[in-house]
Amino acid sequence: MIGLPAGTRIWLAAGVTDMRAGFNCLAAKVETALAEDPFSGHVFVFRGRRGDMIKLLWWTGDGLCLLAKRLERGRFVWPQATDGTVSLSGAQLSMLLEGIDWRRPERTWKPTSGL
């Protein structure tokens, strides 16, 4: 995972996006559908209809980055809403990129009492 600067927000674009979209189309979607500034330095995440591919759009200060990932098996967990945005933490984004359900992560061990 690329280290994001402190204060960077991560936004999931609810619903589905045409994965043929490139820099300009996704930046326009950020402005119109999400009512955000694509050049704000925040990360915007889009998912295709099949659910096995996502694209991230991120302004680094000197240019736009467009990152794509396709899962060989499984689907990316996505909100049920058809429009709007969902904000994620950096840890949740890492889980999403690994194909893990970021909404309900479970510990592999149970904390014990410190008594």
Side-chain angles (χ1 to χ4, degrees):
M1 176 68 192
I2 296 171
L4 299 174
T8 301
R9 304 279 314 261
I10 301 160
W11 299 101
L12 290 185
V16 296
T17 301
D18 184 349
M19 288 290 99
R20 297 173 293 179
F23 291 97
N24 295 336
C25 185
L26 292 176
K29 184 169 180 141
V30 169
E31 287 181 331
T32 57
L34 307 180
E36 293 285 340
D37 178 12
F39 306 107
S40 63
H42 300 309
V43 176
F44 301 94
V45 186
F46 304 89
R47 189 184 86 153
R49 182 167 306 281
R50 290 192 332 219
D52 65 342
M53 183 177 216
I54 60 171
K55 286 188 175 181
L56 287 77
L57 187 68
W58 176 38
W59 174 257
T60 61
D62 57 359
L64 275 173
C65 292
L66 181 60
L67 308 160
K69 181 166 185 179
R70 184 184 69 208
L71 291 176
E72 293 301 316
R73 289 185 298 171
R75 301 284 179 259
F76 290 104
V77 175
W78 214 248
Q80 295 297 320
T82 57
D83 60 359
T85 59
V86 174
S87 179
L88 295 183
S89 68
Q92 288 172 318
L93 176 61
S94 292
M95 286 186 278
L96 172 70
L97 291 173
E98 293 294 325
I100 298 170
D101 187 348
W102 52 270
R103 299 169 303 176
R104 290 177 274 119
E106 294 184 22
R107 293 189 186 274
T108 57
W109 56 275
K110 295 204 183 272
T112 58
S113 173
L115 300 175

